[in-house]
Amino acid sequence: MLARLGRAGEPSDRHQRLEDHVGVLAGERPHGTDERGVGAHGVVPHEGCGLVVRSALQRVHGTRVSGRSLGRDAVPPPSKSVAPGPPRTYGRRVESSNGQADAWTGRVVRGDRGSVRVVDAEGGVTTARVAVPVSDPLDAPCVGDWVVLVRTGDDVAVTDVAPRRTLLERAEPGGSSRHQPLAANVDVVAVVVGLDQMPSLEKVERLLVVAWSSGAAVHVVLTKADVAPDADDVAHDITTQLGAETIVCSARTGVGVAEVAALASTGGTLALVGSSGAGKSSLVNALVGDEVVATSAIRSDGRGRHTTVRRELVALPGGGWIVDTPGLRGVGVTDSAGLSHAFADVEELARSCRFGDCTHQVEPGCAVRGALDGGTLTLRRYESWRALQREAEWLERRTDARLAAEQNRQVRRTTREQRRFRRARGH
Ligand SMILES: Nc1nc2c(ncn2[C@@H]2O[C@H](COP(=O)(O)OP(=O)(O)O)[C@@H](O)[C@H]2O)c(=O)[nH]1
Ligand SMILES: [Mg+2]
Ligand SMILES: [Zn+2]
């Protein structure tokens, strides 16, 4: 298994400190949540950052945190009303632990190199310097991260990032084995496909793998239905051939837009991925009911073209958040976890092959080849699976090699330092 950096995982001093911060935030439960502070479908609402951060911490620390600070007795019984309020509050100002600096929590809505924009409980937006150690690009706070901000004089710094529940990331195909974070704490990833062209099933499959790798739920959103009389047939094909749930919509006519909004309406975060021109930004604008993201259409005043410059997390009027990602043209498959979701049908077959290390090519008793011969698995899907699998394996090998090289460098550095130290002491 690939060693992961920058994912939610190891408890650390950093998280312990964050836990101390959010301990102050305990006791209030946002709307639409059960007594664990988790909304329907496991979606954690954005309101009451303390609870959001806590649920991430619970995963890291297990029962220790929930026992200590969630204070079951202090939590009121589950509310009958499940309607989430408008996304007004998503953080609470907290007393700092040292009583000097001003510290509070919030969510990153935009990430730039070395600095981020963070929205806090009062809806205030602060630009903050990133002061957490970033040894891997994946560690850098990104859109969707819940962070602790500390103000000292004129300086505002991000001093902590809550462990991520999910992380949408990209790997450059054929490029470096380093991954880039695209959006953190996403609940649903929508693979957006424009119906103005016949969608390529292989491209959709690739995006599905990337989407599933995030750990979030995944939907296919077929947009521009206004120009596709056969929209429902395409949706049917994608559902049956790729096993993905689909929504048909149009940003132009508004058809199906409410269904897309419903993916985030429990207070969750929806991320849109898809190739450039698919219609993602238009969909964001349709969902928000305003021109919040630039689309590639010619501006009405005729002065050139809009382009999506930045990735930004936007609050939806009905609750929840949405983030538009830049067109992912050639995204690399990041790991095999996404593959086993996107190709659950094929991997299920592979588990019943006679040999555990079956390559599904020439072996007797191969259930995958059996399904191919029997016509229940298409050659197209089989080949797509094999190609993506090879790519994931190649990338994992490269990443392992890179990690090993880094480890070697670190060991050599330490040895050198120790030698120098001993020499200095005359040993
Ligand atoms: N007919 C039609 N065109 C659309 C729709 N949504 C987007 N478009 C057009 O598709 C092009 C690309 O849209 P855009 O939202 O910028 O795509 P993005 O690159 O995925 O963000 C633009 O010319 C849009 O006007 C739709 O629902 N129907
Ligand atoms: Mg766009
Ligand atoms: Zn096999």
Side-chain angles (χ1 to χ4, degrees), residues 262-281:
L263 294 177
S265 67
T266 43
T269 301
L270 174 65
L272 306 184
V273 300
S275 44
S276 181
K280 299 178 299 297
S281 302

Side-chain angles (χ1 to χ4, degrees), residues 49 54 75 94 111 118 130 146 149 178 202 205 225 233 236 240 260 286 311-312 322 331 356 364 394 402 412 414:
C49 173
R54 176 163 327 287
V75 176
V94 294
V118 178
V130 176
W146 295 93
L149 296 178
R178 285 185 183 275
E202 289 76 24
E205 270 164 342
D233 296 338
H236 178 78
T240 51
V260 180
R311 228 169 303 138
E312 197 151 352
I322 190 163
V331 281
W394 178 81
R402 178 174 64 76
R412 278 202 299 273
T414 313

Side-chain angles (χ1 to χ4, degrees), residues 39-50:
H41 318 298
V43 168
V44 178
H46 52 274
E47 292 173 277
C49 173

Side-chain angles (χ1 to χ4, degrees), residues 29-388:
R29 191 169 47 84
H31 296 294
T33 61
D34 65 19
E35 55 187 348
R36 287 167 297 129
V38 177
H41 318 298
V43 168
V44 178
H46 52 274
E47 292 173 277
C49 173
L51 282 168
V52 174
V53 173
R54 176 163 327 287
S55 73
L57 287 165
Q58 265 175 300
R59 299 238 301 218
V60 173
H61 297 295
T63 50
R64 197 169 60 76
V65 174
S66 56
R68 194 202 69 165
S69 47
L70 196 59
R72 273 184 176 277
D73 295 343
V75 176
S79 160
K80 285 280 173 284
S81 149
V82 289
R88 258 178 279 112
T89 56
Y90 15 85
R92 303 254 181 277
R93 203 157 274 266
V94 294
E95 288 300 317
S96 71
S97 44
N98 61 15
Q100 286 180 352
D102 188 15
W104 68 100
T105 57
R107 195 168 193 200
V108 175
V109 291
R110 192 154 98 188
D112 290 313
R113 210 169 284 273
S115 82
V116 288
R117 273 157 73 85
V118 178
V119 178
D120 64 32
E122 286 82 37
V125 179
T126 312
T127 300
R129 180 172 64 81
V130 176
V132 289
V134 177
S135 54
D136 187 287
L138 270 187
D139 290 338
C142 72
V143 166
D145 266 322
W146 295 93
V147 294
V148 172
L149 296 178
V150 173
R151 184 194 304 278
T152 322
D154 287 340
D155 177 64
V156 182
V158 172
T159 59
D160 267 309
V161 182
R164 293 158 173 164
R165 286 182 294 110
T166 62
L167 180 64
L168 185 62
E169 58 189 90
R170 75 184 295 183
E172 305 288 340
S176 125
S177 59
R178 285 185 183 275
H179 302 175
Q180 278 173 7
L182 288 176
N185 303 313
V186 169
D187 299 292
V188 182
V189 178
V191 172
V192 179
V193 179
L195 288 170
D196 50 337
Q197 289 165 18
M198 195 54 202
S200 141
L201 293 177
E202 289 76 24
K203 274 189 196 148
V204 179
E205 270 164 342
R206 172 180 289 276
L207 286 165
L208 284 171
V209 174
V210 173
W212 279 117
S213 299
S214 70
V218 176
H219 259 77
V220 171
V221 170
L222 300 168
T223 185
K224 309 193 194 180
D226 55 296
V227 292
D230 58 345
D232 290 331
D233 296 338
V234 178
H236 178 78
D237 282 356
I238 289 192
T239 306
T240 51
Q241 297 195 37
L242 310 189
E245 294 195 51
T246 54
I247 294 175
V248 173
C249 72
S250 162
R252 192 153 293 172
T253 64
V255 163
V257 168
E259 257 184 275
V260 180
L263 294 177
S265 67
T266 43
T269 301
L270 174 65
L272 306 184
V273 300
S275 44
S276 181
K280 299 178 299 297
S281 302
S282 305
L283 198 51
V284 171
N285 292 338
L287 286 161
V288 177
D290 197 2
E291 286 271 317
V292 288
V293 194
T295 65
S296 61
I298 307 276
R299 282 170 20 174
S300 53
D301 59 8
R303 289 169 51 208
R305 280 171 177 273
H306 288 300
T307 41
T308 305
V309 190
R310 288 203 176 90
R311 228 169 303 138
E312 197 151 352
L313 191 64
V314 182
L316 289 172
W321 304 74
I322 190 163
V323 58
D324 186 9
T325 63
L328 297 182
R329 210 173 344 150
V331 281
V333 167
T334 54
D335 60 22
S336 45
L339 262 171
S340 30
H341 267 103
F343 289 87
D345 52 342
V346 190
E347 303 224 341
E348 171 85 52
L349 285 168
R351 272 192 293 278
S352 40
C353 290
R354 186 179 306 162
F355 302 109
D357 59 350
C358 186
T359 62
H360 322 297
Q361 291 175 81
V362 291
E363 291 87 343
C366 172
V368 176
R369 301 233 43 121
L372 272 176
D373 294 341
T376 50
L377 175 64
T378 62
L379 189 61
R380 188 209 63 75
R381 186 148 169 87
Y382 168 75
E383 283 176 348
S384 175
W385 174 63
R386 294 274 304 150
L388 290 168

